[in-house]
Amino acid sequence: MKTPDDKRIIFTYHSLPSKNAALRWKARLVFEPGSTDEDVAEMEVFDGDGNKVASGILEFAGQRLKVKDGKTSISCGDFVKGKHEPSIWLHRAGHPSSPGVVTFE
Amino acid sequence: MRSADMMRRYSITDGDLMGMLYEEMLGRGKIELYRGDGSFGGWLRRYVRGFILNANPNRHGEISIDGFAGGEDGEDSKMDIPAHDHEVIRKEVWDMIHRCFLDLWRDDPERAYIHLLKTRFHLSSEEVRDFLDTSSTANVDQIFSRSVKFMRSAWELHEREGF
C-alpha cells in the first residue's frame, strides 16, 4: 500500500449512537503522506467528553490495539489487511464494551 | 474538449469522471430532476455538458449546473431546475446519511473506505488503488459505483421504513 505523497488522510471513527454517555467514544486514525506497509499510522482515542482514554483495548481491522493515554497505532500494512473487517470495539475497564464505525467527519 | 482538459488538469481518469457522474445522478439523486419533458437522452446530454463545464474534483459535492444556459438541443432547453436543490442539509438528512453509511460499512468496510476516499478526500482511482491495495483502478471504480448504488438503495429502504 502507499498513501498519496501530498495528502494526510485522517479517518474518524465513532461509537454507535447511544444515550448512555459511558458508551460513547471517538477515534482519529492518521496516515501521513507517502506512508507504506511498514509505516505506522497513529491513532488517538477520546471518550464521550472529549478526554483521552487512559487505557483500553481497541479492536480494529482484526487487531487488538492497546490504548494508553489516548494513543495507539497500527501498521499501515495491518490496516490494509483488515480492510474487510467490520468489527470495531472499544473495551475499557469500568465501561461496557462499545462498538463503532467509520464516519464522514 | 473540455472534459479532456479537466481530466489532464486534475489527473483524473475516465473512470473517475464516470464515478463522479454516477454519484451525481444516483448518489445525489439528480436523475430525479428529469421531469419527462422531451427525450431523456437529450436531457442527459445537456446535463453531462453542464456537469463537465462546472465540475471540479477538488470541490466535488458542490457541483452545480445552476446558471448553465444550455441551448442547442432545442426540445430540452425549457428544463427547469428546482431552486430547493441547494437547501440546507437538515439534521434528519445527516442522520440518514450516517445510517446508510453504517449499512455500507456492515456490508463491506472496503466499500465504505473507497466511498470516503473518493468523496471526502477526493483521491483519484489510482490513489485509492495504491492506498487500499485494490487490484485495479477499474475495480476501484466498480466498487465505488456499487457503493453509491448501495447508499441510494439503503436510503430508499429506510425512507420506506419511516426513518
Side-chain angles (χ1 to χ4, degrees):
Chain A
M1 70 90 77
K2 186 175 183 300
T3 65
D5 288 325
D6 58 348
K7 296 182 186 102
R8 173 182 286 140
I9 304 294
I10 302 176
F11 289 130
T12 303
Y13 304 84
H14 268 278
S15 51
L16 298 186
S18 171
K19 290 179 179 174
N20 182 355
L23 291 173
R24 290 186 214 135
W25 56 269
K26 181 176 177 177
R28 295 169 77 243
L29 176 62
V30 180
F31 292 92
E32 295 297 337
S35 296
T36 58
D37 281 347
E38 296 73 31
D39 290 312
V40 167
E42 301 291 339
M43 206 163 188
E44 292 178 305
V45 188
F46 304 94
D47 64 20
D49 296 320
N51 300 314
K52 291 178 180 177
V53 170
S55 68
I57 298 285
L58 184 67
E59 268 189 59
F60 172 69
Q63 306 281 316
R64 289 176 67 86
L65 308 173
K66 282 185 184 174
V67 180
K68 188 164 175 57
D69 297 329
K71 291 187 183 303
T72 187
S73 61
I74 183 171
S75 79
C76 295
D78 283 340
F79 169 80
V80 170
K81 278 181 201 160
K83 66 183 177 182
H84 293 291
E85 176 54 64
S87 178
I88 303 178
W89 286 86
L90 180 63
H91 308 285
R92 288 173 286 179
H95 290 73
S97 295
S98 174
V101 64
V102 72
T103 78
F104 276 97
E105 287 179 34
Chain B
M1 185 180 170
R2 173 65 193 259
S3 59
D5 290 344
M6 186 186 79
M7 288 161 69
R8 271 195 297 274
R9 183 174 167 195
Y10 295 109
S11 302
I12 61 174
T13 64
D14 287 340
D16 290 334
L17 194 59
M18 286 305 296
M20 289 162 64
L21 190 58
Y22 196 93
E23 186 200 2
E24 180 82 352
M25 281 290 151
L26 296 180
R28 302 186 68 210
K30 292 299 175 70
I31 201 165
E32 291 174 3
L33 296 177
Y34 174 62
R35 293 174 171 179
D37 301 324
S39 75
F40 179 74
W43 175 84
L44 191 60
R45 237 185 348 266
R46 274 194 64 218
Y47 193 97
V48 169
R49 189 185 305 141
F51 176 83
I52 290 172
L53 286 171
N54 289 280
N56 176 348
N58 294 327
R59 293 173 52 243
H60 198 36
E62 299 171 8
I63 290 170
S64 165
I65 62 168
D66 284 1
F68 172 66
E72 292 135 37
D73 295 319
E75 62 173 351
D76 299 309
S77 61
K78 296 191 293 288
M79 186 180 73
D80 181 27
I81 304 297
H84 64 256
D85 189 40
H86 290 295
E87 73 181 12
V88 176
I89 295 176
R90 296 166 299 169
K91 183 178 181 303
E92 309 91 80
V93 175
W94 188 237
D95 289 345
M96 180 72 115
I97 289 169
H98 277 91
R99 186 164 180 171
C100 295
F101 198 65
L102 175 60
D103 291 342
L104 183 65
W105 173 267
R106 285 173 172 160
D107 186 62
D108 184 355
E110 185 185 33
R111 276 192 193 180
Y113 281 127
I114 287 177
H115 198 90
L116 273 182
L117 290 170
K118 296 281 281 182
T119 61
R120 170 80 175 76
F121 299 101
H122 314 300
L123 298 197
S124 68
S125 296
E126 283 81 3
E127 287 174 319
V128 175
R129 176 200 61 198
D130 293 344
F131 193 139
L132 295 176
D133 276 351
T134 310
S135 58
S136 66
T137 55
N139 200 15
V140 170
D141 293 333
Q142 191 176 46
I143 294 171
F144 177 59
S145 294
R146 284 178 184 165
S147 77
V148 172
K149 195 172 179 183
F150 184 97
M151 289 279 283
R152 186 154 177 74
S153 300
W155 187 290
E156 287 168 357
L157 182 67
H158 289 309
E159 220 166 33
R160 279 202 300 273
E161 289 171 348
F163 170 68

